[in-house]
Amino acid sequence: MSIVRVAAFTISVDGFASGEGQSLDTPFGHAGERLHAWMFPPETGGQTKAKYGVDGALAAVSYDDGSVGAEIMGRRKYWPYPGPWTDDTWRGWWGENPPFHTPVFVMTHHPHEPIQMEGGTTFHFVDGTPEQVLATAREAAGDLDVRIGGGAMVVREFLKAGLVDVLHLVIAPIVLGRGESLWEGLEGIESQFDIQTVTSARPGYVHQFWQRKGLGQTEVS
């Protein structure tokens, strides 16, 4: 069954997915790379994705399991600044062969021509409600899943609209105090999901798996 999912989305214990002051030099603002130490261990220079144990398995399945047919992301994940586009040469953070290997729908109010990359990734820049953008992504994905890639504002809007089936959160043992909140305006959202937890191999980090209640159940008449 095709589902809408959020994979390996890391937040601080106070619910922020990035800090303030995002820029090309600091994509996560004042949070730096601390949120993602479970996936990119500092002892490797922050360059190596976790490969072993529970963290390695979950990092791999987030992008490499072949079940995703389209990605949706926010403008601030693709490009850190608001307003009109100011750099026609920008092609994302991920190099010429991004890890998505699917159509990627970047939600923005500012028109932009599609950008075709290596490895099957094409960035499409779309304006619309979560429902409208999801319909477009589902058409592109066919029978495969649609992944909501972030940032926090986009994940929050899809949660608010009741469009997320599965949410994999990683809770980092960090208090940011400010930044881009995942939970703003979503009081009580947990009542809509069954939630399980797994402890990370990285001290203090916790994986949470939220599955919408009733997902996969077949009604018997």
Side-chain angles (χ1 to χ4, degrees), residues 116-131:
Q116 186 170 350
M117 309 293 286
E118 297 175 9
T121 298
T122 299
F123 292 109
H124 302 274
F125 301 87
V126 294
D127 190 5
T129 65
E131 291 84 356

Side-chain angles (χ1 to χ4, degrees), residues 3 19 123 125 142 147 152 156 161 165 170-171 179 195 198 212 221:
I3 63 172
F123 292 109
F125 301 87
R147 181 172 51 215
R156 186 170 68 239
D165 299 310
V170 185
I171 314 301
I195 303 172
V198 174
R212 185 167 294 281
S221 59

Side-chain angles (χ1 to χ4, degrees), residues 56-69:
L58 291 171
V61 78
S62 296
Y63 284 99
D64 304 331
D65 68 347
S67 66
V68 172

